[in-house]
PDB file of all heavy atoms in Angstrom:
ATOM      1  N   LEU A   1       4.703   8.308   8.023  1.00 96.00           N
ATOM      2  CA  LEU A   1       4.534   6.899   7.648  1.00 96.00           C
ATOM      3  C   LEU A   1       3.056   6.510   7.607  1.00 96.00           C
ATOM      4  O   LEU A   1       2.657   5.686   6.784  1.00 96.00           O
ATOM      5  CB  LEU A   1       5.294   5.994   8.616  1.00 96.00           C
ATOM      6  CG  LEU A   1       6.815   6.010   8.459  1.00 96.00           C
ATOM      7  CD1 LEU A   1       7.487   5.358   9.660  1.00 96.00           C
ATOM      8  CD2 LEU A   1       7.227   5.333   7.159  1.00 96.00           C
ATOM      9  N   GLY A   2       2.236   7.110   8.459  1.00 94.00           N
ATOM     10  CA  GLY A   2       0.795   6.862   8.416  1.00 94.00           C
ATOM     11  C   GLY A   2       0.184   7.345   7.113  1.00 94.00           C
ATOM     12  O   GLY A   2      -0.658   6.668   6.520  1.00 94.00           O
ATOM     13  N   VAL A   3       0.623   8.512   6.655  1.00 96.00           N
ATOM     14  CA  VAL A   3       0.138   9.039   5.363  1.00 96.00           C
ATOM     15  C   VAL A   3       0.588   8.120   4.231  1.00 96.00           C
ATOM     16  O   VAL A   3      -0.208   7.773   3.342  1.00 96.00           O
ATOM     17  CB  VAL A   3       0.629  10.488   5.150  1.00 96.00           C
ATOM     18  CG1 VAL A   3       0.323  10.962   3.737  1.00 96.00           C
ATOM     19  CG2 VAL A   3      -0.005  11.424   6.178  1.00 96.00           C
ATOM     20  N   VAL A   4       1.844   7.699   4.263  1.00 97.00           N
ATOM     21  CA  VAL A   4       2.362   6.774   3.231  1.00 97.00           C
ATOM     22  C   VAL A   4       1.575   5.460   3.253  1.00 97.00           C
ATOM     23  O   VAL A   4       1.179   4.945   2.209  1.00 97.00           O
ATOM     24  CB  VAL A   4       3.874   6.503   3.444  1.00 97.00           C
ATOM     25  CG1 VAL A   4       4.353   5.331   2.607  1.00 97.00           C
ATOM     26  CG2 VAL A   4       4.678   7.749   3.132  1.00 97.00           C
ATOM     27  N   ALA A   5       1.340   4.932   4.456  1.00 95.00           N
ATOM     28  CA  ALA A   5       0.603   3.671   4.571  1.00 95.00           C
ATOM     29  C   ALA A   5      -0.812   3.816   4.018  1.00 95.00           C
ATOM     30  O   ALA A   5      -1.283   2.947   3.275  1.00 95.00           O
ATOM     31  CB  ALA A   5       0.563   3.219   6.034  1.00 95.00           C
ATOM     32  N   GLY A   6      -1.476   4.897   4.364  1.00 95.00           N
ATOM     33  CA  GLY A   6      -2.847   5.093   3.892  1.00 95.00           C
ATOM     34  C   GLY A   6      -2.946   5.195   2.389  1.00 95.00           C
ATOM     35  O   GLY A   6      -3.763   4.513   1.754  1.00 95.00           O
ATOM     36  N   TRP A   7      -2.128   6.020   1.803  1.00 95.00           N
ATOM     37  CA  TRP A   7      -2.214   6.203   0.355  1.00 95.00           C
ATOM     38  C   TRP A   7      -1.665   5.012  -0.409  1.00 95.00           C
ATOM     39  O   TRP A   7      -2.137   4.699  -1.508  1.00 95.00           O
ATOM     40  CB  TRP A   7      -1.562   7.516  -0.073  1.00 95.00           C
ATOM     41  CG  TRP A   7      -2.405   8.660   0.379  1.00 95.00           C
ATOM     42  CD1 TRP A   7      -2.088   9.596   1.316  1.00 95.00           C
ATOM     43  CD2 TRP A   7      -3.742   8.947  -0.032  1.00 95.00           C
ATOM     44  NE1 TRP A   7      -3.151  10.455   1.504  1.00 95.00           N
ATOM     45  CE2 TRP A   7      -4.178  10.083   0.699  1.00 95.00           C
ATOM     46  CE3 TRP A   7      -4.626   8.363  -0.933  1.00 95.00           C
ATOM     47  CZ2 TRP A   7      -5.443  10.633   0.541  1.00 95.00           C
ATOM     48  CZ3 TRP A   7      -5.894   8.919  -1.082  1.00 95.00           C
ATOM     49  CH2 TRP A   7      -6.286  10.041  -0.355  1.00 95.00           C
ATOM     50  N   SER A   8      -0.713   4.281   0.168  1.00 96.00           N
ATOM     51  CA  SER A   8      -0.231   3.054  -0.476  1.00 96.00           C
ATOM     52  C   SER A   8      -1.332   2.003  -0.490  1.00 96.00           C
ATOM     53  O   SER A   8      -1.536   1.311  -1.486  1.00 96.00           O
ATOM     54  CB  SER A   8       0.989   2.504   0.253  1.00 96.00           C
ATOM     55  OG  SER A   8       2.043   3.411   0.202  1.00 96.00           O
ATOM     56  N   ARG A   9      -2.033   1.874   0.622  1.00 93.00           N
ATOM     57  CA  ARG A   9      -3.138   0.915   0.681  1.00 93.00           C
ATOM     58  C   ARG A   9      -4.251   1.329  -0.284  1.00 93.00           C
ATOM     59  O   ARG A   9      -4.877   0.491  -0.940  1.00 93.00           O
ATOM     60  CB  ARG A   9      -3.662   0.810   2.113  1.00 93.00           C
ATOM     61  CG  ARG A   9      -4.873  -0.064   2.270  1.00 93.00           C
ATOM     62  CD  ARG A   9      -4.575  -1.542   2.048  1.00 93.00           C
ATOM     63  NE  ARG A   9      -5.789  -2.304   2.297  1.00 93.00           N
ATOM     64  CZ  ARG A   9      -6.277  -3.202   1.471  1.00 93.00           C
ATOM     65  NH1 ARG A   9      -5.630  -3.521   0.367  1.00 93.00           N
ATOM     66  NH2 ARG A   9      -7.392  -3.835   1.751  1.00 93.00           N
ATOM     67  N   TYR A  10      -4.495   2.634  -0.388  1.00 95.00           N
ATOM     68  CA  TYR A  10      -5.499   3.127  -1.332  1.00 95.00           C
ATOM     69  C   TYR A  10      -5.117   2.724  -2.766  1.00 95.00           C
ATOM     70  O   TYR A  10      -5.955   2.245  -3.532  1.00 95.00           O
ATOM     71  CB  TYR A  10      -5.625   4.645  -1.215  1.00 95.00           C
ATOM     72  CG  TYR A  10      -6.631   5.247  -2.157  1.00 95.00           C
ATOM     73  CD1 TYR A  10      -7.986   5.232  -1.851  1.00 95.00           C
ATOM     74  CD2 TYR A  10      -6.232   5.818  -3.360  1.00 95.00           C
ATOM     75  CE1 TYR A  10      -8.923   5.782  -2.710  1.00 95.00           C
ATOM     76  CE2 TYR A  10      -7.160   6.365  -4.226  1.00 95.00           C
ATOM     77  CZ  TYR A  10      -8.502   6.345  -3.899  1.00 95.00           C
ATOM     78  OH  TYR A  10      -9.411   6.882  -4.761  1.00 95.00           O
ATOM     79  N   LEU A  11      -3.855   2.907  -3.103  1.00 96.00           N
ATOM     80  CA  LEU A  11      -3.398   2.499  -4.440  1.00 96.00           C
ATOM     81  C   LEU A  11      -3.523   0.993  -4.639  1.00 96.00           C
ATOM     82  O   LEU A  11      -3.914   0.533  -5.717  1.00 96.00           O
ATOM     83  CB  LEU A  11      -1.951   2.931  -4.666  1.00 96.00           C
ATOM     84  CG  LEU A  11      -1.723   4.405  -4.925  1.00 96.00           C
ATOM     85  CD1 LEU A  11      -0.223   4.709  -4.983  1.00 96.00           C
ATOM     86  CD2 LEU A  11      -2.403   4.836  -6.214  1.00 96.00           C
ATOM     87  N   GLU A  12      -3.190   0.233  -3.600  1.00 94.00           N
ATOM     88  CA  GLU A  12      -3.308  -1.223  -3.708  1.00 94.00           C
ATOM     89  C   GLU A  12      -4.750  -1.634  -4.017  1.00 94.00           C
ATOM     90  O   GLU A  12      -4.992  -2.510  -4.846  1.00 94.00           O
ATOM     91  CB  GLU A  12      -2.845  -1.881  -2.404  1.00 94.00           C
ATOM     92  CG  GLU A  12      -2.946  -3.392  -2.430  1.00 94.00           C
ATOM     93  CD  GLU A  12      -2.668  -4.028  -1.091  1.00 94.00           C
ATOM     94  OE1 GLU A  12      -2.811  -3.352  -0.045  1.00 94.00           O
ATOM     95  OE2 GLU A  12      -2.338  -5.228  -1.088  1.00 94.00           O
ATOM     96  N   VAL A  13      -5.701  -0.990  -3.369  1.00 92.00           N
ATOM     97  CA  VAL A  13      -7.112  -1.307  -3.575  1.00 92.00           C
ATOM     98  C   VAL A  13      -7.575  -0.867  -4.962  1.00 92.00           C
ATOM     99  O   VAL A  13      -8.350  -1.566  -5.618  1.00 92.00           O
ATOM    100  CB  VAL A  13      -7.977  -0.627  -2.479  1.00 92.00           C
ATOM    101  CG1 VAL A  13      -9.453  -0.716  -2.802  1.00 92.00           C
ATOM    102  CG2 VAL A  13      -7.684  -1.244  -1.122  1.00 92.00           C
ATOM    103  N   ARG A  14      -7.086   0.268  -5.437  1.00 93.00           N
ATOM    104  CA  ARG A  14      -7.561   0.851  -6.693  1.00 93.00           C
ATOM    105  C   ARG A  14      -6.886   0.287  -7.953  1.00 93.00           C
ATOM    106  O   ARG A  14      -7.505   0.268  -9.010  1.00 93.00           O
ATOM    107  CB  ARG A  14      -7.339   2.368  -6.687  1.00 93.00           C
ATOM    108  CG  ARG A  14      -8.149   3.119  -5.657  1.00 93.00           C
ATOM    109  CD  ARG A  14      -9.571   3.228  -6.031  1.00 93.00           C
ATOM    110  NE  ARG A  14      -9.694   3.973  -7.278  1.00 93.00           N
ATOM    111  CZ  ARG A  14     -10.819   4.296  -7.827  1.00 93.00           C
ATOM    112  NH1 ARG A  14     -11.939   3.979  -7.254  1.00 93.00           N
ATOM    113  NH2 ARG A  14     -10.867   4.955  -8.956  1.00 93.00           N
ATOM    114  N   LEU A  15      -5.624  -0.107  -7.828  1.00 94.00           N
ATOM    115  CA  LEU A  15      -4.898  -0.554  -9.022  1.00 94.00           C
ATOM    116  C   LEU A  15      -5.395  -1.909  -9.510  1.00 94.00           C
ATOM    117  O   LEU A  15      -5.866  -2.732  -8.729  1.00 94.00           O
ATOM    118  CB  LEU A  15      -3.400  -0.647  -8.713  1.00 94.00           C
ATOM    119  CG  LEU A  15      -2.663   0.680  -8.570  1.00 94.00           C
ATOM    120  CD1 LEU A  15      -1.235   0.456  -8.105  1.00 94.00           C
ATOM    121  CD2 LEU A  15      -2.674   1.459  -9.872  1.00 94.00           C
ATOM    122  N   PRO A  16      -5.256  -2.146 -10.823  1.00 94.00           N
ATOM    123  CA  PRO A  16      -5.665  -3.449 -11.357  1.00 94.00           C
ATOM    124  C   PRO A  16      -4.752  -4.574 -10.851  1.00 94.00           C
ATOM    125  O   PRO A  16      -3.618  -4.335 -10.430  1.00 94.00           O
ATOM    126  CB  PRO A  16      -5.529  -3.281 -12.873  1.00 94.00           C
ATOM    127  CG  PRO A  16      -4.827  -2.012 -13.106  1.00 94.00           C
ATOM    128  CD  PRO A  16      -4.795  -1.234 -11.839  1.00 94.00           C
ATOM    129  N   GLU A  17      -5.281  -5.770 -10.881  1.00 90.00           N
ATOM    130  CA  GLU A  17      -4.532  -6.960 -10.465  1.00 90.00           C
ATOM    131  C   GLU A  17      -3.190  -7.014 -11.202  1.00 90.00           C
ATOM    132  O   GLU A  17      -3.118  -6.749 -12.390  1.00 90.00           O
ATOM    133  CB  GLU A  17      -5.358  -8.206 -10.813  1.00 90.00           C
ATOM    134  CG  GLU A  17      -5.033  -9.427 -10.018  1.00 90.00           C
ATOM    135  CD  GLU A  17      -5.418  -9.325  -8.555  1.00 90.00           C
ATOM    136  OE1 GLU A  17      -6.454  -8.714  -8.244  1.00 90.00           O
ATOM    137  OE2 GLU A  17      -4.678  -9.846  -7.726  1.00 90.00           O
ATOM    138  N   GLY A  18      -2.132  -7.306 -10.492  1.00 92.00           N
ATOM    139  CA  GLY A  18      -0.807  -7.374 -11.091  1.00 92.00           C
ATOM    140  C   GLY A  18       0.015  -6.112 -10.895  1.00 92.00           C
ATOM    141  O   GLY A  18       1.234  -6.146 -11.016  1.00 92.00           O
ATOM    142  N   GLU A  19      -0.624  -5.003 -10.612  1.00 94.00           N
ATOM    143  CA  GLU A  19       0.096  -3.740 -10.387  1.00 94.00           C
ATOM    144  C   GLU A  19       0.064  -3.324  -8.914  1.00 94.00           C
ATOM    145  O   GLU A  19       0.421  -2.203  -8.585  1.00 94.00           O
ATOM    146  CB  GLU A  19      -0.522  -2.630 -11.243  1.00 94.00           C
ATOM    147  CG  GLU A  19      -0.380  -2.859 -12.730  1.00 94.00           C
ATOM    148  CD  GLU A  19      -0.987  -1.714 -13.521  1.00 94.00           C
ATOM    149  OE1 GLU A  19      -1.023  -0.580 -13.016  1.00 94.00           O
ATOM    150  OE2 GLU A  19      -1.436  -1.959 -14.652  1.00 94.00           O
ATOM    151  N   GLN A  20      -0.330  -4.237  -8.058  1.00 93.00           N
ATOM    152  CA  GLN A  20      -0.523  -3.904  -6.651  1.00 93.00           C
ATOM    153  C   GLN A  20       0.671  -4.232  -5.770  1.00 93.00           C
ATOM    154  O   GLN A  20       0.662  -3.903  -4.589  1.00 93.00           O
ATOM    155  CB  GLN A  20      -1.744  -4.658  -6.112  1.00 93.00           C
ATOM    156  CG  GLN A  20      -3.010  -4.338  -6.849  1.00 93.00           C
ATOM    157  CD  GLN A  20      -4.120  -5.297  -6.484  1.00 93.00           C
ATOM    158  OE1 GLN A  20      -3.883  -6.425  -6.110  1.00 93.00           O
ATOM    159  NE2 GLN A  20      -5.347  -4.835  -6.615  1.00 93.00           N
ATOM    160  N   LYS A  21       1.697  -4.843  -6.312  1.00 94.00           N
ATOM    161  CA  LYS A  21       2.793  -5.351  -5.482  1.00 94.00           C
ATOM    162  C   LYS A  21       3.539  -4.236  -4.743  1.00 94.00           C
ATOM    163  O   LYS A  21       3.745  -4.333  -3.524  1.00 94.00           O
ATOM    164  CB  LYS A  21       3.767  -6.153  -6.342  1.00 94.00           C
ATOM    165  CG  LYS A  21       4.777  -6.907  -5.534  1.00 94.00           C
ATOM    166  CD  LYS A  21       5.574  -7.863  -6.388  1.00 94.00           C
ATOM    167  CE  LYS A  21       6.438  -8.713  -5.484  1.00 94.00           C
ATOM    168  NZ  LYS A  21       7.068  -9.804  -6.173  1.00 94.00           N
ATOM    169  N   ALA A  22       3.943  -3.190  -5.421  1.00 95.00           N
ATOM    170  CA  ALA A  22       4.715  -2.116  -4.774  1.00 95.00           C
ATOM    171  C   ALA A  22       3.908  -1.404  -3.686  1.00 95.00           C
ATOM    172  O   ALA A  22       4.392  -1.261  -2.556  1.00 95.00           O
ATOM    173  CB  ALA A  22       5.225  -1.121  -5.818  1.00 95.00           C
ATOM    174  N   PRO A  23       2.670  -0.959  -3.972  1.00 95.00           N
ATOM    175  CA  PRO A  23       1.915  -0.321  -2.887  1.00 95.00           C
ATOM    176  C   PRO A  23       1.594  -1.277  -1.740  1.00 95.00           C
ATOM    177  O   PRO A  23       1.542  -0.880  -0.584  1.00 95.00           O
ATOM    178  CB  PRO A  23       0.645   0.191  -3.548  1.00 95.00           C
ATOM    179  CG  PRO A  23       0.700  -0.180  -4.961  1.00 95.00           C
ATOM    180  CD  PRO A  23       1.980  -0.865  -5.242  1.00 95.00           C
ATOM    181  N   SER A  24       1.400  -2.557  -2.071  1.00 94.00           N
ATOM    182  CA  SER A  24       1.120  -3.544  -1.036  1.00 94.00           C
ATOM    183  C   SER A  24       2.292  -3.651  -0.059  1.00 94.00           C
ATOM    184  O   SER A  24       2.112  -3.696   1.159  1.00 94.00           O
ATOM    185  CB  SER A  24       0.839  -4.903  -1.680  1.00 94.00           C
ATOM    186  OG  SER A  24       0.685  -5.895  -0.694  1.00 94.00           O
ATOM    187  N   TRP A  25       3.486  -3.680  -0.592  1.00 96.00           N
ATOM    188  CA  TRP A  25       4.680  -3.725   0.260  1.00 96.00           C
ATOM    189  C   TRP A  25       4.889  -2.409   0.988  1.00 96.00           C
ATOM    190  O   TRP A  25       5.305  -2.392   2.147  1.00 96.00           O
ATOM    191  CB  TRP A  25       5.919  -4.062  -0.575  1.00 96.00           C
ATOM    192  CG  TRP A  25       6.099  -5.530  -0.736  1.00 96.00           C
ATOM    193  CD1 TRP A  25       5.762  -6.281  -1.824  1.00 96.00           C
ATOM    194  CD2 TRP A  25       6.629  -6.434   0.228  1.00 96.00           C
ATOM    195  NE1 TRP A  25       6.058  -7.603  -1.588  1.00 96.00           N
ATOM    196  CE2 TRP A  25       6.599  -7.716  -0.336  1.00 96.00           C
ATOM    197  CE3 TRP A  25       7.123  -6.278   1.516  1.00 96.00           C
ATOM    198  CZ2 TRP A  25       7.045  -8.840   0.341  1.00 96.00           C
ATOM    199  CZ3 TRP A  25       7.569  -7.399   2.193  1.00 96.00           C
ATOM    200  CH2 TRP A  25       7.525  -8.658   1.609  1.00 96.00           C
ATOM    201  N   ALA A  26       4.613  -1.302   0.334  1.00 97.00           N
ATOM    202  CA  ALA A  26       4.871   0.018   0.924  1.00 97.00           C
ATOM    203  C   ALA A  26       4.073   0.223   2.210  1.00 97.00           C
ATOM    204  O   ALA A  26       4.615   0.672   3.221  1.00 97.00           O
ATOM    205  CB  ALA A  26       4.551   1.126  -0.085  1.00 97.00           C
ATOM    206  N   TRP A  27       2.771  -0.094   2.206  1.00 94.00           N
ATOM    207  CA  TRP A  27       1.988   0.156   3.423  1.00 94.00           C
ATOM    208  C   TRP A  27       2.370  -0.822   4.523  1.00 94.00           C
ATOM    209  O   TRP A  27       2.365  -0.466   5.699  1.00 94.00           O
ATOM    210  CB  TRP A  27       0.497   0.209   3.156  1.00 94.00           C
ATOM    211  CG  TRP A  27      -0.236  -1.080   2.941  1.00 94.00           C
ATOM    212  CD1 TRP A  27      -0.575  -1.649   1.749  1.00 94.00           C
ATOM    213  CD2 TRP A  27      -0.775  -1.936   3.953  1.00 94.00           C
ATOM    214  NE1 TRP A  27      -1.268  -2.808   1.956  1.00 94.00           N
ATOM    215  CE2 TRP A  27      -1.409  -3.010   3.304  1.00 94.00           C
ATOM    216  CE3 TRP A  27      -0.779  -1.909   5.348  1.00 94.00           C
ATOM    217  CZ2 TRP A  27      -2.033  -4.052   3.989  1.00 94.00           C
ATOM    218  CZ3 TRP A  27      -1.403  -2.941   6.032  1.00 94.00           C
ATOM    219  CH2 TRP A  27      -2.021  -3.993   5.358  1.00 94.00           C
ATOM    220  N   ARG A  28       2.736  -2.037   4.161  1.00 94.00           N
ATOM    221  CA  ARG A  28       3.154  -3.004   5.185  1.00 94.00           C
ATOM    222  C   ARG A  28       4.471  -2.584   5.834  1.00 94.00           C
ATOM    223  O   ARG A  28       4.620  -2.654   7.059  1.00 94.00           O
ATOM    224  CB  ARG A  28       3.258  -4.390   4.576  1.00 94.00           C
ATOM    225  CG  ARG A  28       1.915  -5.012   4.267  1.00 94.00           C
ATOM    226  CD  ARG A  28       2.076  -6.354   3.541  1.00 94.00           C
ATOM    227  NE  ARG A  28       0.840  -7.074   3.449  1.00 94.00           N
ATOM    228  CZ  ARG A  28      -0.032  -6.966   2.454  1.00 94.00           C
ATOM    229  NH1 ARG A  28       0.204  -6.141   1.465  1.00 94.00           N
ATOM    230  NH2 ARG A  28      -1.138  -7.669   2.451  1.00 94.00           N
ATOM    231  N   VAL A  29       5.421  -2.151   5.017  1.00 97.00           N
ATOM    232  CA  VAL A  29       6.706  -1.677   5.546  1.00 97.00           C
ATOM    233  C   VAL A  29       6.503  -0.442   6.413  1.00 97.00           C
ATOM    234  O   VAL A  29       7.111  -0.313   7.487  1.00 97.00           O
ATOM    235  CB  VAL A  29       7.708  -1.396   4.388  1.00 97.00           C
ATOM    236  CG1 VAL A  29       8.930  -0.657   4.883  1.00 97.00           C
ATOM    237  CG2 VAL A  29       8.115  -2.708   3.715  1.00 97.00           C
ATOM    238  N   ALA A  30       5.615   0.459   5.986  1.00 97.00           N
ATOM    239  CA  ALA A  30       5.328   1.660   6.777  1.00 97.00           C
ATOM    240  C   ALA A  30       4.788   1.280   8.153  1.00 97.00           C
ATOM    241  O   ALA A  30       5.195   1.854   9.170  1.00 97.00           O
ATOM    242  CB  ALA A  30       4.341   2.566   6.039  1.00 97.00           C
ATOM    243  N   PHE A  31       3.907   0.293   8.213  1.00 92.00           N
ATOM    244  CA  PHE A  31       3.366  -0.130   9.510  1.00 92.00           C
ATOM    245  C   PHE A  31       4.432  -0.785  10.387  1.00 92.00           C
ATOM    246  O   PHE A  31       4.457  -0.571  11.602  1.00 92.00           O
ATOM    247  CB  PHE A  31       2.176  -1.069   9.310  1.00 92.00           C
ATOM    248  CG  PHE A  31       0.852  -0.368   9.392  1.00 92.00           C
ATOM    249  CD1 PHE A  31       0.554   0.668   8.522  1.00 92.00           C
ATOM    250  CD2 PHE A  31      -0.077  -0.711  10.339  1.00 92.00           C
ATOM    251  CE1 PHE A  31      -0.643   1.333   8.593  1.00 92.00           C
ATOM    252  CE2 PHE A  31      -1.295  -0.054  10.424  1.00 92.00           C
ATOM    253  CZ  PHE A  31      -1.577   0.969   9.550  1.00 92.00           C
ATOM    254  N   VAL A  32       5.311  -1.563   9.794  1.00 95.00           N
ATOM    255  CA  VAL A  32       6.410  -2.163  10.566  1.00 95.00           C
ATOM    256  C   VAL A  32       7.324  -1.074  11.113  1.00 95.00           C
ATOM    257  O   VAL A  32       7.736  -1.113  12.282  1.00 95.00           O
ATOM    258  CB  VAL A  32       7.202  -3.182   9.707  1.00 95.00           C
ATOM    259  CG1 VAL A  32       8.494  -3.594  10.382  1.00 95.00           C
ATOM    260  CG2 VAL A  32       6.334  -4.401   9.416  1.00 95.00           C
ATOM    261  N   LEU A  33       7.626  -0.081  10.297  1.00 96.00           N
ATOM    262  CA  LEU A  33       8.464   1.026  10.755  1.00 96.00           C
ATOM    263  C   LEU A  33       7.795   1.818  11.878  1.00 96.00           C
ATOM    264  O   LEU A  33       8.462   2.218  12.841  1.00 96.00           O
ATOM    265  CB  LEU A  33       8.828   1.942   9.584  1.00 96.00           C
ATOM    266  CG  LEU A  33       9.773   1.339   8.549  1.00 96.00           C
ATOM    267  CD1 LEU A  33       9.926   2.278   7.354  1.00 96.00           C
ATOM    268  CD2 LEU A  33      11.117   1.016   9.165  1.00 96.00           C
ATOM    269  N   ILE A  34       6.492   2.012  11.780  1.00 92.00           N
ATOM    270  CA  ILE A  34       5.765   2.677  12.868  1.00 92.00           C
ATOM    271  C   ILE A  34       5.896   1.854  14.148  1.00 92.00           C
ATOM    272  O   ILE A  34       6.145   2.394  15.233  1.00 92.00           O
ATOM    273  CB  ILE A  34       4.281   2.886  12.499  1.00 92.00           C
ATOM    274  CG1 ILE A  34       4.152   3.961  11.417  1.00 92.00           C
ATOM    275  CG2 ILE A  34       3.454   3.262  13.732  1.00 92.00           C
ATOM    276  CD1 ILE A  34       2.759   4.068  10.817  1.00 92.00           C
TER     277      ILE A  34
END
């Protein structure tokens, strides 16, 4: 989950505005699960 959170956050930072929703949720959910 730490790996998923890290790379999801990386995608959120790198993706253009409007395409960040899925990675944004993915790293947050990963942290809640941790």
Side-chain angles (χ1 to χ4, degrees):
L1 287 166
V3 171
V4 167
W7 289 113
S8 298
R9 175 69 177 130
Y10 180 81
L11 285 174
E12 180 188 23
V13 169
R14 295 286 298 184
L15 287 173
E17 203 68 36
E19 296 181 28
Q20 301 168 333
K21 190 171 187 170
S24 175
W25 274 100
W27 77 262
R28 287 175 170 90
V29 169
F31 263 59
V32 168
L33 291 173
I34 289 170

